[in-house]
Amino acid sequence: TKAMFDRVFQGPEKRIHRPSCLVLVKQNGKAHGRVGLVVGKKNISRAVQRNTFKRICREVFRKSQLCSVDVLVLAKRPVNGIDRKQLASDLQVVLAQIEKQA
């Protein structure tokens, strides 16, 4: 999947900024959507919080009906730890924008 990351990083078709994350989107021409997560120690220092961020992202995208897009979610530095509800609602807004675009 490194090739997928490189392809999206080099030329995203859409960038969506939210308080908790930055989302890069690019069409992939396949029948299914793919999700990649970039959660660095620099932005979220504690492993428990990084894993929570990834778990929430995977669950939101698992419930979605994404088709033929590659999505990269880059974590932003949280002010007071991860707010699970805020992250989930940010991702729902992102999904709505992606589906509206497609």
Side-chain angles (χ1 to χ4, degrees):
T1 63
K2 182 183 179 321
M4 186 266 285
F5 276 70
D6 290 341
R7 198 174 69 77
V8 176
F9 273 128
Q10 288 173 2
E13 294 170 359
K14 187 161 188 148
R15 293 173 182 260
I16 304 170
H17 293 272
R18 300 299 305 162
S20 59
C21 59
L22 166 66
V23 179
L24 306 176
V25 181
K26 186 163 186 164
Q27 296 292 325
N28 67 11
K30 299 185 181 196
H32 60 281
R34 300 183 295 186
V35 175
L37 303 169
V38 179
V39 187
K41 273 186 180 179
K42 208 173 201 180
N43 291 335
I44 302 176
S45 60
R46 298 189 62 217
V48 171
Q49 291 180 336
R50 286 194 304 274
N51 291 334
T52 299
F53 184 95
K54 291 187 251 185
R55 188 170 38 254
I56 292 168
C57 290
R58 283 190 203 108
E59 182 64 18
V60 169
F61 282 99
R62 184 185 66 79
K63 290 180 180 178
S64 74
Q65 301 297 320
L66 280 182
C67 298
S68 67
V69 292
D70 288 336
V71 178
L72 283 183
V73 180
L74 291 83
K76 288 186 179 176
R77 183 173 289 135
V79 177
N80 297 322
I82 292 177
D83 183 353
R84 295 169 188 225
K85 290 181 181 178
Q86 178 67 42
L87 176 58
S89 69
D90 283 350
L91 292 173
Q92 293 293 345
V93 168
V94 167
L95 285 172
Q97 290 179 357
I98 293 170
E99 290 171 358
K100 186 171 64 173
Q101 174 193 356

